[in-house]
Amino acid sequence: MMESAFFVLLRRWWPAFAVLSLVIAGLALAAHMFGKGEKAGANKVTVQIQRDHAVAVADARTDERAAVAASSTIATSVAQQTVASAAVTHHIVETLRNAIESVPPATPGDPMPAAPVDRVRDDVNAAIARANRAAAAAPAVAGANPDGAS
């Protein structure tokens, strides 16, 4: 009885077929494990990126809170300075008004005409009234006390 060529070939080369099958199985196993390792590495990198992002967001929020506190401090300081400058302006205007009121009236026959004291006084009084209104409105707008302290 004659054996088929396939069985003759199989009997003669079976060790080579076995080694080739093991090599193919080993390559398949290595590819599978490499794919798992690559996915695990990607997951590790993703987690690290998420952690880094969370730290960056926390830093940004801390900086934002610091900026809010700084701008609030600046706003309070500006409000206090506005009230203080309004008080100084008021004082200067009062001093000018007092100085104008203390000028003696011009005598008749003087070659110099009399200064328009009434008009200047009215202008100064109007300026004082505007400064008073501005000073009264500043604490309500800025949240400062009327005396300039916070």
Side-chain angles (χ1 to χ4, degrees), residues 63-97:
D63 291 346
E64 182 182 17
R65 282 189 215 94
V68 167
S71 63
S72 175
T73 302
I74 291 169
T76 302
S77 174
V78 167
Q80 290 171 349
Q81 290 172 2
T82 301
V83 170
S85 70
V88 167
T89 303
H90 175 71
H91 176 71
I92 290 170
V93 170
E94 283 287 328
T95 303
L96 286 172
R97 189 180 75 176

Side-chain angles (χ1 to χ4, degrees), residues 37-134:
E38 186 176 355
K39 185 173 182 173
N43 289 342
K44 183 177 179 181
V45 169
T46 302
V47 167
Q48 186 61 41
I49 288 172
Q50 289 172 345
R51 284 184 190 146
D52 292 346
H53 177 71
V55 168
V57 167
D59 287 346
R61 289 200 175 134
T62 301
D63 291 346
E64 182 182 17
R65 282 189 215 94
V68 167
S71 63
S72 175
T73 302
I74 291 169
T76 302
S77 174
V78 167
Q80 290 171 349
Q81 290 172 2
T82 301
V83 170
S85 70
V88 167
T89 303
H90 175 71
H91 176 71
I92 290 170
V93 170
E94 283 287 328
T95 303
L96 286 172
R97 189 180 75 176
N98 292 338
I100 291 172
E101 287 177 353
S102 69
V103 172
T107 59
D110 242 354
M112 298 286 294
V117 176
D118 292 334
R119 183 175 55 86
V120 172
R121 186 178 56 234
D122 292 342
D123 289 345
V124 170
N125 285 337
I128 291 171
R130 282 193 302 274
N132 286 339
R133 284 193 300 274

Side-chain angles (χ1 to χ4, degrees), residues 14-27:
W14 78 267
F17 287 131
V19 168
L20 183 63
S21 298
L22 286 176
V23 168
I24 291 172
L27 287 174

